[in-house]
Amino acid sequence: MNDLVAANAQAIGQFLEDHKCKDVSILDVSAECSWADCFIIATVSSVGHLKGVAHEIWSELNNLGLEVANRHKNPAGDGWELIDCSDIVIHLMSSELREFYSLEKLWQKREI
């Protein structure tokens, strides 16, 4: 992962923590994944929290100069929102879905 991607990932991680997301993890998946360099995984407390964070993050992504491949006006109410910024993929998940899918374990928790 290059320095710009790492710096953007850290900025997004801080944004998520500032917006009350829990257990924010930044995983370096560049060695195992051909379509992304890192995943950012964060736990949201409710569907309302998920929708609020997903709505607010657009301005942060724009400020960082990141393009989003899957911009949704209304995030799904299923407890998981994936935001694809090409090199960075953001997963906003409920605690139940995060525990069930265990992305950190799947990707061997290569935190940066």
Side-chain angles (χ1 to χ4, degrees), residues 12-108:
I12 294 166
Q14 186 61 55
F15 174 89
L16 294 172
E17 287 179 355
D18 292 347
H19 285 79
K20 309 297 185 215
C21 293
K22 302 292 183 200
D23 302 319
V24 177
S25 293
I26 301 172
L27 308 179
D28 182 348
V29 297
S30 58
E32 296 82 16
C33 183
S34 64
W35 43 271
D37 286 340
C38 79
F39 288 172
I40 302 173
I41 306 167
T43 302
V44 293
S45 58
S46 66
V47 171
H49 184 214
L50 169 69
K51 289 180 178 187
V53 171
H55 178 75
E56 293 295 321
I57 202 168
W58 300 123
S59 63
E60 179 69 12
L61 298 176
N62 285 334
N63 290 341
L64 294 170
L66 297 174
E67 293 186 31
V68 178
N70 66 330
R71 192 175 290 250
H72 298 188
K73 286 191 177 190
N74 294 314
D78 62 358
W80 187 352
E81 180 70 10
L82 183 144
I83 303 169
D84 181 356
C85 303
S86 187
D87 292 332
I88 300 172
V89 178
I90 305 164
H91 299 270
L92 304 175
M93 306 175 83
S94 68
S95 58
E96 296 82 11
L97 288 177
R98 186 166 180 177
E99 183 178 340
F100 180 79
Y101 287 104
S102 191
L103 294 178
E104 290 94 339
K105 185 176 177 184
L106 178 68
W107 290 95
Q108 303 301 313

